[in-house]
Amino acid sequence: MVKYVVKRLLLAIVTVLIICAITFFAMHAVPGGPFNREKALSEATINALNARYGLDRPVWQQFLSYMGNILHFGNVFKGEKFLELDFGVSLKNGREISDIISESFPISARLGVSAMAIALVLGSVFGSTAALMRNKLPDRLIVFFSTLFTAVPSFVLATLLLLVFCNKLGWFPAWTPKNPNYVLPVISLAAYPMAYITRLSKTSMLDALSQDYIRTARAKGVSKFKMIFKHALRNSLIPVITYAGPQIAYIITGSMVIETIFTIGGLGSKFVSAITNRDYTMIMATTIFLATLMVVATVICDLLYKAVDPRIQYD
Amino acid sequence: MENNPNMASGKLPKKKPLSMQLDLSKFGSADFIPATEEEKRQQDVMSKSTTFFKDGMRKLFKNPLAVASIGILLLIILVIIIAPMIVPYSYDEILSVNGRRDKGAQNLAPFAYSVLEQEYIAKGGTRFPHIFGTDELSRDYFVRVIYGTRISLSIGLFASLIVLIIGMIYGSISGYIGGKVDLIMMRIVDIIYSLPDMLMIILLSVVLNDILQFPAGSLLSKLGTNMVSLFIVFGLLYWVGLARLIRGQILSIKENEYVLAAKTIGAGPSRIIRKHILPNCLSVIIISTALQIPSAIFTESFLSFVGIGVKAPMPSLGSLANAARSGLESYPYKLIFPAAMICLIVLSLNLLGDGLRDAFDPKLKR
């Protein structure tokens, strides 16, 4: 078990490093730089800026020095932190990148975590209900709505919610940084994953209910409640975990569409503006952040499989 | 066999006391009469033998939801082929009456006519109705939605075709060879899986903008480099899901006896993959391709939504929905039409995919 975790974590680190390299070289292969403004700067200024940020060196040298700068090992005995991450400053506005991330990530994370929590809980409840009440009215209603919601793009849902409940009915105030109202963004973020998880967990619940061990449990006289929660639900969770793991990593790093519609200054919109501005350091920092979360989520998922289903063996 | 004396002398083996076997030596030729034609017909197999594919199709057409979604999809395809031939406007044409630019034709409601057009009709001219109204640049919105549907559907189809081909080849090689090769190939898949796709699409579209020069007026130049790079990104990034799926299938299929049998009579890996393994994961391939199309349509509409989709005058359903956001309070129908179209297409493709799964997945007996 420990060996497996260590192996997975080492592989995860390698994966993140390779993603960093691909992104770094792809980014620098793109024509245009961070100092191409609408108001053209003089050549001397651009050269000076490039030299200031080390952008005049060959790309591989830049990459090595960048990676060296990020991992900042301190001397523990002198009271410094063992490992300090230093992402440098944004090339666009000169702010510390760690400041930008620590400012915008909590917003995206709060949105994403609440949306995913709602999606997971409601999705598996609805899915299991549909499976248990197969071909009855609740099942048909749940199947109808989950099929419908997997066909609605989140931007359409978000725009309509904003139009109806914020502008027309005025039930929920619009998003402002000082007075954030999470209700509408969370609903529009949660709708698709919820519908998807409902469908997933319905299928896998039906699958679990048709297994022999359920019949054995029933024959032994296990109560229906215990049968569902102890035997069937656990086994039906595996596909849900497979889907939810990477999805959580995606969603908490910010859905730029939802953030754009509700004008939320989260990490997602920051990432997109960084790409369009060629803000190299900001792109790299957000990519590393996203990739790390992704990889960690995958590892946690694999470990969760074992917790949910002890039959699964790691090799 | 050869040292069996009974066989050598043409006699039947000696009958065991409790055996049910008939002693043929007791019967003469008079005891056997040839079967009549009618009796022969009774021995015929009653139903025609069916293949896996035919059986699946039969089940599919018994599923009312799947049939309805096939009908809707066919109807949509028919409309997007025929409608541009009937409607006399083109998707980038700014409306004009008698050669004069119609300035009053902006943001018309569905089936409404502008002042100029009303005068024209009053004088006895005929004007094709604007079924969905017009947009803010006085272009016929119906034609734009139709063209948008064309673009979105073909993007969905081609993108999933690319995904299908690459994913299938990669997944089958990785699953079939196994061992170290499989390990390395799957690590590559893991890495690609966690690359930020939005970043890659934007980066590629900028790079390709400089590299690719399409002949002016061709379809590719109208679609713009963003769309081409979207295809390339689909080809580069999105095949990993299918590759994983097929690899998993092949890992289990290649342990079957018929694969071993094929190997023993000397079939090469390529023949085994083509003739024995791929047909057996056909159901998985069909289903995931049917479900890939809506996801490609979604991706395209997201990209158009954040402004990196198709090039300006060419509409796609996503870019139409995005453009509709600015005047949403006054003209909500401009969002409703393209959004409803996306929902309809994705919904029927999803239902079709579900129907295909129910019909073709032998493990599902529900």
Side-chain angles (χ1 to χ4, degrees):
Chain A
M1 183 69 185
V2 176
K3 200 179 150 200
Y4 176 79
V5 175
V6 171
K7 198 174 133 195
R8 283 303 306 261
L9 283 179
L10 284 178
L11 269 175
I13 292 170
V14 174
T15 312
V16 171
L17 284 179
I18 293 176
I19 292 172
C20 287
I22 293 177
T23 316
F24 198 89
F25 289 107
M27 189 171 75
H28 281 271
V30 173
F35 310 117
N36 292 8
R37 309 260 163 93
E38 276 166 36
K39 208 178 90 191
L41 299 168
S42 74
E43 191 133 327
T45 322
I46 290 182
N47 284 342
L49 279 168
N50 279 342
R52 160 93 173 72
Y53 291 107
L55 296 175
D56 50 349
R57 288 177 296 163
V59 178
W60 63 271
Q61 274 185 18
Q62 290 183 40
F63 179 66
L64 290 183
S65 73
Y66 178 79
M67 293 312 286
N69 282 339
I70 288 181
L71 302 174
H72 203 84
F73 290 99
N75 190 336
V76 192
F77 300 108
K78 283 184 188 163
E80 292 169 11
K81 276 189 209 158
F82 172 62
L83 174 64
E84 207 171 358
L85 295 176
D86 181 12
F87 289 111
V89 293
S90 161
L91 296 181
K92 205 68 194 172
N93 49 24
R95 288 184 60 200
E96 280 284 335
I97 289 198
S98 36
D99 285 353
I100 302 180
I101 289 184
S102 61
E103 189 180 277
S104 56
F105 176 62
I107 303 174
S108 295
R110 208 171 297 154
L111 269 177
V113 167
S114 22
M116 262 331 261
I118 291 175
L120 271 174
V121 173
L122 290 186
S124 30
V125 168
F126 284 149
S128 312
T129 316
L132 290 169
M133 310 185 80
R134 205 157 166 244
N135 292 336
K136 288 189 191 137
L137 184 68
D139 175 32
R140 294 195 189 282
L141 281 179
I142 288 169
V143 167
F144 176 76
F145 280 107
S146 61
T147 319
L148 192 69
F149 273 103
T150 44
V152 182
S154 65
F155 64 86
V156 172
L157 185 67
T159 320
L160 289 180
L161 283 178
L162 193 67
L163 176 71
V164 174
F165 291 107
C166 182
N167 297 0
K168 293 261 151 94
L169 297 176
W171 290 0
F172 301 102
W175 178 286
T176 47
K178 278 193 184 145
N179 179 24
N181 187 303
Y182 283 93
V183 178
L184 294 180
V186 167
I187 292 178
S188 23
L189 258 184
Y192 184 84
M194 186 173 85
Y196 197 86
I197 290 174
T198 305
R199 283 156 57 94
L200 266 185
S201 66
K202 187 197 164 186
T203 321
S204 59
M205 189 69 171
L206 280 177
D207 202 42
L209 284 176
S210 69
Q211 296 290 327
D212 290 340
Y213 52 78
I214 294 290
R215 198 183 306 130
T216 314
R218 290 295 288 161
K220 282 198 303 181
V222 174
S223 71
K224 193 157 191 190
F225 180 83
K226 207 172 166 191
M227 176 196 86
I228 294 166
F229 283 92
K230 194 146 193 262
H231 297 273
L233 191 62
R234 272 175 83 126
N235 282 293
S236 72
L237 279 179
I238 300 250
V240 177
I241 293 173
T242 314
Y243 168 74
Q247 201 63 30
I248 287 178
Y250 260 126
I251 252 183
I252 63 175
T253 43
S255 153
M256 49 192 220
V257 173
I258 302 293
E259 284 175 12
T260 315
I261 293 176
F262 289 100
T263 57
I264 301 168
L267 199 58
S269 46
K270 290 272 178 356
F271 185 44
V272 176
S273 63
I275 295 173
T276 41
N277 287 334
R278 306 284 138 63
D279 191 344
Y280 291 149
T281 45
M282 185 68 195
I283 297 178
M284 276 312 283
T286 30
T287 307
I288 294 173
F289 198 68
L290 176 66
T292 312
L293 271 175
M294 256 327 250
V295 173
V296 169
T298 322
V299 174
I300 291 177
C301 262
D302 283 354
L303 296 180
L304 265 181
Y305 288 151
K306 175 93 179 162
V308 168
D309 188 348
R311 285 169 304 181
I312 291 175
Q313 296 291 322
Y314 297 128
D315 37 34
Chain B
M1 280 298 208
E2 277 129 49
N3 49 20
N4 187 337
N6 289 332
M7 287 301 271
S9 62
K11 269 198 268 170
L12 288 163
K14 201 180 170 194
K15 189 173 173 285
K16 296 248 170 68
L18 289 173
S19 165
M20 298 288 281
Q21 192 190 341
L22 290 173
D23 191 356
L24 287 177
S25 60
K26 284 181 185 166
F27 298 98
S29 61
D31 293 317
F32 296 99
I33 29 168
T36 59
E37 281 305 307
E38 197 187 348
E39 279 166 341
K40 272 185 192 165
R41 245 180 284 130
Q42 279 177 352
Q43 295 299 311
D44 282 347
V45 182
M46 296 312 275
S47 59
K48 262 189 209 160
S49 71
T50 173
T51 60
F52 174 67
F53 185 73
K54 272 187 198 155
D55 188 42
M57 290 315 264
R58 192 180 54 83
K59 278 190 213 153
L60 182 68
F61 281 105
K62 273 189 183 168
N63 181 344
L65 277 178
V67 174
S69 45
I70 291 176
I72 290 174
L73 284 175
L74 285 180
L75 188 73
I76 290 175
I77 291 171
L78 214 65
V79 168
I80 59 175
I81 292 173
I82 293 175
M85 297 175 188
I86 298 172
V87 182
Y89 313 111
S90 90
Y91 69 88
D92 56 352
E93 175 193 326
I94 294 166
L95 292 177
S96 52
V97 178
N98 282 337
R100 245 176 70 208
R101 212 195 126 179
D102 189 354
K103 284 191 180 125
Q106 289 166 358
N107 292 323
L108 290 178
F111 287 106
Y113 289 105
S114 69
V115 181
L116 265 181
E117 283 175 329
Q118 279 167 4
E119 283 170 13
Y120 181 70
I121 293 168
K123 279 179 198 159
T126 47
R127 196 78 179 148
F128 198 84
H130 308 296
I131 301 173
F132 287 176
T134 57
D135 71 354
E136 70 284 352
L137 290 173
S138 38
R139 295 175 291 200
D140 187 83
Y141 204 56
F142 178 67
V143 175
R144 286 186 68 73
V145 171
I146 292 294
Y147 268 88
T149 315
R150 268 189 182 190
I151 298 294
S152 294
L153 256 185
S154 37
I155 284 170
L157 280 176
F158 282 113
S160 33
L161 209 66
I162 296 173
V163 167
L164 175 69
I165 294 169
I166 299 179
M168 204 165 70
I169 296 174
Y170 195 94
S172 22
I173 293 175
S174 171
Y176 186 76
I177 298 177
K180 283 236 164 59
V181 178
D182 178 43
L183 192 77
I184 293 169
M185 284 176 97
M186 281 300 119
R187 270 305 93 133
I188 296 175
V189 163
D190 282 351
I191 290 168
I192 292 177
Y193 198 73
S194 28
L195 278 178
D197 45 358
M198 224 33 106
L199 174 74
M200 288 298 145
I201 293 173
I202 300 171
L203 289 179
L204 261 178
S205 67
V206 181
V207 176
L208 292 175
N209 236 330
D210 284 19
I211 301 171
L212 297 174
Q213 295 296 332
F214 302 116
S218 71
L219 179 67
L220 282 179
S221 77
K222 275 185 193 159
L223 278 177
T225 39
N226 281 336
M227 269 307 98
V228 179
S229 61
L230 177 65
F231 282 135
I232 294 177
V233 167
F234 254 97
L236 285 177
L237 298 184
Y238 286 105
W239 52 268
V240 288
L242 190 71
R244 270 186 177 166
L245 206 67
I246 290 181
R247 170 186 168 266
Q249 283 281 308
I250 286 178
L251 280 183
S252 67
I253 291 174
K254 74 170 181 184
E255 300 300 325
N256 281 332
E257 282 80 6
Y258 52 81
V259 177
L260 188 68
K263 257 186 210 161
T264 44
I265 41 175
S270 136
R271 190 186 157 80
I272 292 179
I273 290 182
R274 271 184 299 116
K275 291 276 173 188
H276 299 283
I277 293 181
L278 280 186
N280 276 301
C281 38
L282 193 69
S283 58
V284 175
I285 294 172
I286 295 176
I287 296 157
S288 63
T289 308
L291 296 176
Q292 187 78 49
I293 301 174
S295 105
I297 292 177
F298 262 13
T299 312
E300 184 277 325
S301 58
F302 279 129
L303 288 174
S304 295
F305 188 81
V306 292
I308 45 177
V310 286
K311 221 163 93 185
M314 185 65 104
S316 86
L317 292 177
S319 66
L320 288 174
N322 186 30
R325 266 197 319 138
S326 50
L328 193 62
E329 298 252 5
S330 337
Y331 318 108
Y333 60 88
K334 284 209 282 177
L335 174 71
I336 302 290
F337 289 131
M341 202 58 153
I342 297 179
C343 295
L344 200 62
I345 294 173
V346 173
L347 189 65
S348 24
L349 281 168
N350 275 341
L351 288 175
L352 179 61
D354 284 357
L356 282 171
R357 190 182 52 209
D358 290 346
F360 280 95
D361 198 338
K363 274 172 286 177
L364 285 174
K365 289 187 217 91
R366 294 188 272 276

